[in-house]
Amino acid sequence: MRRPRHNNVEEVIKKGPWASEEDEVLRNFVKKNGPRDWSSIRTMGLLPRTGKSCRLRWVNKLRPNLKKGCKFTAEEEKLVLDLQEKLGNKWATIATYLSGRTDNDVKNFWSTRQKRLARILKSSTHAGTKKKNNKGKAEVDDEKAHNLLDVKPGNSRQQVKEELQHQSLPELGNTKDVCASTSKETILDFCLLPEICHGYDQLLEFNESSFMDDFPSQDILEIGDLPDLMINSDDLPFDDLSACNNDLMNNDACNNDLMNNVEGAYGKGKLGSPTNFFDDFPTDMLDYLDGTFGKTSSK
DNA sequence: AACAGGCCCAACCGCCCCGTG
DNA sequence: GCACGGGGCGGTTGGGCCTGT
C-alpha cells in the first residue's frame, strides 16, 4: 500500500474499488491528454493510483462504446470459441474481434465457461454412480425396461437390432419419455455398437431426470451426440476407447449415417475426445447439461 | 429464513517487452 | 550494453449477487 517516493516522502497508493469522483478525474485526464501517460496521473497528483490501475480502469470500464451489463450473444460466444481454438489464450487479440468487449470480458467469459465445463464433466462422471446408490421407486418400477434393454457387450448387433425391433418403445415405462424424445431409428442405430448398447442400458437408469429427458426436442438430440458422449463418458465401462472407436469407424455398412452425423458435427477423427465434444457447445446447451447433471451432484 | 455453492466481474499480481537515457 | 520504468497482457483472486436446498 505504501511506497517510498524518490524524495523520501511516503505516498499512499490507493487500491480497490473506484469511486465515481475518481472515474470523473480519470475521464477528464483522458479527455485532455488522451489514453496515455498513465503514470503521470499520479505524479501530477490527480489520483493516488498507479498508472497500471488507471489504465485498467479506463480500458475495462470507462472507455466509450463498451458493452456493459449484457451477456455474450451466441455469435460472440462462437467467435470466441473459434478464435481461442486458432489463437490460444490471446485475449487481447480476441477482444479486438468483438466490438465493445475487453480482454477482461473475454477472459472472464472463458474462465467461467471452463470452470463450468469442468464441473459438468465431474458431475456427469459421478451421476450414474450416485443414481445407483440411490435407487428410488421410479427406478425400481423401471425394472422391466432394464430387462428389455439389458443388452450386454456380448450380444451381437443383429441380436440387439432384432430385439429392439420387436419392442414397442412406448412400453418402456418411465423411459418412454426418453425414447419419445428421439426416433426409434436413432435408438436402433445407436444400439448397433455393443459398447453403446451397454451405455444405453446404463442410460436408462437415469430415468427421472436423465440426460436425454432434458433435451427439449429431437432436433437437438442428434444421432451423433449420443455415441460420442457415451464413448467418452468415464461413467461407462469402456475398457478400450480406441477399440470402440475403431469399431465405430469400421462398421461402415451399418453406421454410414451415424458416421456422417458424427463427423459432420465434430469433424473427422475427433471421436474419443471429451473436450472436443463440449468445445463447441453454446452456453444454453451447457445450461441443459448443467441442469441435468448438476441436479445429481451434491450441493 | 438461513445457509451453501456457483456465477459474474472488477481489480490486482506478476511477468514480459520495449523504449529511453 | 545495461538498467530502469511504463505499458500490455494473461492469470488469479475476492466480493457481491443469485439460486437452490
Side-chain angles (χ1 to χ4, degrees):
Chain A
M1 203 55 138
R2 285 170 182 277
R3 144 182 177 169
R5 280 169 71 173
H6 300 303
N7 58 5
N8 289 332
V9 177
E10 286 200 347
E11 181 190 6
V12 175
I13 302 293
K14 189 179 175 190
K15 291 184 181 180
W18 281 65
S20 55
E21 302 80 46
E22 292 179 298
D23 284 344
E24 202 49 42
V25 171
L26 187 54
R27 277 198 195 92
N28 289 335
F29 175 85
V30 172
K31 203 181 287 179
K32 198 173 172 185
N33 303 285
R36 66 182 80 88
D37 297 333
W38 299 111
S39 56
S40 64
I41 294 174
R42 180 168 59 85
T43 56
M44 288 165 69
L46 296 175
L47 286 172
R49 299 268 187 179
T50 64
K52 280 189 174 193
S53 180
C54 294
R55 179 192 155 271
L56 209 63
R57 182 66 181 174
W58 172 259
V59 167
N60 288 333
K61 290 300 291 182
L62 302 181
R63 199 161 44 119
N65 303 321
L66 288 178
K67 288 181 184 173
K68 295 170 191 168
C70 57
K71 286 191 166 188
F72 275 52
T73 65
E75 290 74 25
E76 287 176 319
E77 284 184 17
K78 188 175 186 319
L79 194 53
V80 171
L81 299 183
D82 287 347
L83 291 170
Q84 200 281 338
E85 190 177 0
K86 289 190 186 91
L87 305 170
N89 296 359
K90 303 288 181 187
W91 308 124
T93 309
I94 292 171
T96 62
Y97 290 84
L98 298 143
S99 81
R101 300 294 188 187
T102 68
D103 59 341
N104 219 27
D105 292 334
V106 177
K107 198 164 49 180
N108 283 332
F109 163 75
W110 184 261
S111 64
T112 300
R113 181 189 164 84
Q114 290 305 99
K115 280 180 200 164
R116 199 173 186 192
L117 279 177
R119 198 172 51 78
I120 289 171
L121 283 170
K122 191 180 170 192
S123 298
S124 67
T125 298
H126 295 105
T129 312
K130 284 174 185 287
K131 288 270 181 181
K132 273 185 209 168
N133 295 339
N134 229 344
K135 274 199 173 183
K137 183 177 179 298
E139 204 162 344
V140 175
D141 289 345
D142 216 27
E143 202 70 37
K144 182 183 172 186
H146 289 182
N147 292 336
L148 280 170
L149 281 167
D150 189 17
V151 278
K152 295 294 189 289
N155 289 18
S156 74
R157 294 173 185 197
Q158 194 55 38
Q159 279 177 305
V160 171
K161 194 164 185 173
E162 285 172 5
E163 176 80 18
L164 284 166
Q165 278 171 336
H166 288 100
Q167 289 175 22
S168 172
L169 293 176
E171 292 176 7
L172 293 176
N174 290 337
T175 56
K176 70 181 178 185
D177 292 336
V178 174
C179 297
S181 70
T182 187
S183 70
K184 188 173 178 179
E185 288 70 28
T186 296
I187 294 175
L188 291 179
D189 281 339
F190 168 49
C191 289
L192 287 174
L193 294 166
E195 296 84 352
I196 291 170
C197 290
H198 198 120
Y200 187 70
D201 182 39
Q202 292 207 356
L203 186 67
L204 291 178
E205 294 189 11
F206 301 164
N207 55 53
E208 293 143 326
S209 60
S210 76
F211 167 71
M212 291 172 79
D213 273 337
D214 283 352
F215 277 99
S217 64
Q218 184 180 334
D219 42 321
I220 287 183
L221 183 60
E222 294 292 338
I223 188 171
D225 297 343
L226 283 171
D228 205 17
L229 182 68
M230 292 301 112
I231 288 169
N232 289 309
S233 171
D234 291 336
D235 190 41
L236 300 176
F238 302 146
D239 293 332
D240 188 344
L241 292 182
S242 61
C244 179
N245 289 334
N246 286 337
D247 204 7
L248 182 62
M249 298 289 189
N250 295 331
N251 192 16
D252 52 338
C254 299
N255 288 319
N256 274 344
D257 289 344
L258 177 67
M259 287 305 301
N260 287 339
N261 277 316
V262 171
E263 287 174 359
Y266 305 114
K268 220 165 183 148
K270 281 204 166 187
L271 290 170
S273 164
T275 49
N276 285 339
F277 178 75
F278 287 107
D279 272 353
D280 294 332
F281 269 31
T283 297
D284 54 352
M285 182 64 92
L286 293 183
D287 287 341
Y288 269 108
L289 291 174
D290 207 8
T292 302
F293 292 126
K295 285 174 198 166
T296 64
S297 64
S298 59
K299 224 190 164 183

